[in-house]
């Protein structure tokens, strides 16, 4: 079975998420120092349990977006194609014998039935990451070998052109803003620790 996997869209997104997780940890450290050292009697005004759950929720969300692309993949061979969504624990399996047409659109690959124009299967290009161009190329070659009617609506695989560069720049700017906030939070945590 051949495999089509997803991967992270840009390294700057991964750096941004790592810095965001560090910022959450630094803010959590400040929160613990305020509670532990009882600064300005904030212990009585904070809801410690809700705050702990909120910080945990933020970390889980960041981890989800950091590793989320690994929960989706597709396997195929000469007879069938299977799409896996491990988050929802769903799979979709289609035999190639039922397919007569394939449309490679801007959002994904749609496979159509022989008897009608109803879509049997959709393979998305974006699932918390980008689809592997090597996997798509292998799948495209298999579709051509099966002599299916193929309609290709792009020249460069979506997500791998100029939009990828723009996304990388945006995530780099966001990472710089988070880094600035992180340095302030770390400096505040160190200052609280030194004064108490």
């Amino acid at each position: 079975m051949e495999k089509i996997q997803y991967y992270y869209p840009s390294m700057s997104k991964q750096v941004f998420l790592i810095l965001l997780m560090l910022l959450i940890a630094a803010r959590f450290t400040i929160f613990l120092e305020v509670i532990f050292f009882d600064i300005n009697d904030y212990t009585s005004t904070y809801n410690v349990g809700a705050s702990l759950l909120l910080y945990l929720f933020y970390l889980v969300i960041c981890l989800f977006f950091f590793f989320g692309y690994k929960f989706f993949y597709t396997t195929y061979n000469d007879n069938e194609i299977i799409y896996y969504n491990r988050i929802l624990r769903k799979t979709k399996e289609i035999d190639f014998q039922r397919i007569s047409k394939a449309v490679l659109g801007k959002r994904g690959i749609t496979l159509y039935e022989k008897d009608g124009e109803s879509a049997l299967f959709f393979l998305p290009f974006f699932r918390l990451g980008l689809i592997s161009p090597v996997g798509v190329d292998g799948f495209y070659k298999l579709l051509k070998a099966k002599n299916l009617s193929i309609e290709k609506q792009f020249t460069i695989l979506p997500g791998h052109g100029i939009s990828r560069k723009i996304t990388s720049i945006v995530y780099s700017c966001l990472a710089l803003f988070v880094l600035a906030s992180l340095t302030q939070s770390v400096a505040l945590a160190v200052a609280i620790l030194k004064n108490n």
Side-chain angles (χ1 to χ4, degrees):
M1 295 284 272
E2 298 291 326
K3 196 171 189 179
I4 303 173
Q5 294 181 314
Y6 295 88
Y7 62 97
Y8 55 86
S10 66
M11 184 59 79
S12 58
K13 178 184 176 185
Q14 299 301 90
V15 170
F16 164 70
L17 289 171
I18 289 170
L19 287 174
L20 194 59
M21 287 186 273
L22 289 174
L23 176 63
I24 292 168
R27 298 293 212 139
F28 181 68
T29 303
I30 293 170
F31 170 74
L32 288 179
E33 287 177 345
V34 166
I35 298 299
F36 183 72
F37 295 126
D38 196 24
I39 297 172
N40 291 340
D41 198 32
Y42 282 129
T43 308
S44 59
T45 59
Y46 271 129
N47 186 344
V48 177
S51 297
L52 289 174
L53 286 175
L54 188 63
Y55 282 113
L56 182 65
F57 175 74
Y58 289 155
L59 281 175
V60 167
I61 291 294
C62 287
L63 285 171
F64 174 74
F65 283 109
F66 190 79
F67 293 111
Y69 64 91
K70 293 185 178 190
F71 292 107
F72 307 96
Y73 62 95
T74 303
T75 59
Y76 66 92
N77 59 19
D78 289 340
N79 302 322
E80 65 184 358
I81 179 170
I82 306 168
Y83 175 74
Y84 296 91
N85 180 339
R86 292 187 352 209
I87 293 175
L88 299 176
R89 295 184 180 156
K90 290 186 178 184
T91 60
K92 178 143 183 163
E93 181 177 344
I94 297 295
D95 289 330
F96 275 115
Q97 297 170 353
R98 298 176 56 194
I99 300 169
S100 67
K101 181 181 176 185
V103 176
L104 284 76
K106 300 236 182 226
R107 298 267 178 220
I109 300 172
T110 308
L111 303 176
Y112 291 95
E113 197 169 6
K114 285 186 177 181
D115 297 334
E117 286 300 314
S118 61
L120 282 176
F121 188 84
F122 180 70
L123 175 61
F125 287 153
F126 307 99
R127 282 290 181 257
L128 297 175
L130 296 175
I131 198 162
S132 167
V134 175
V136 172
D137 186 52
F139 186 64
Y140 178 71
K141 288 177 182 174
L142 177 67
L143 292 175
K144 282 176 68 173
K146 295 250 180 219
N147 293 324
L148 298 176
S149 171
I150 300 173
E151 179 185 333
K152 194 173 177 185
Q153 300 175 346
F154 57 82
T155 54
I156 297 174
L157 189 64
H160 291 83
I162 189 77
S163 64
R164 185 174 183 184
K165 292 177 184 174
I166 292 170
T167 304
S168 180
I169 291 170
V170 168
Y171 278 119
S172 296
C173 291
L174 288 172
L176 287 174
F177 289 132
V178 171
L179 182 63
S181 183
L182 176 63
T183 55
Q184 285 180 334
S185 297
V186 168
L188 179 61
V190 169
I192 291 173
L193 199 58
K194 281 184 178 179
N195 288 334
N196 291 304

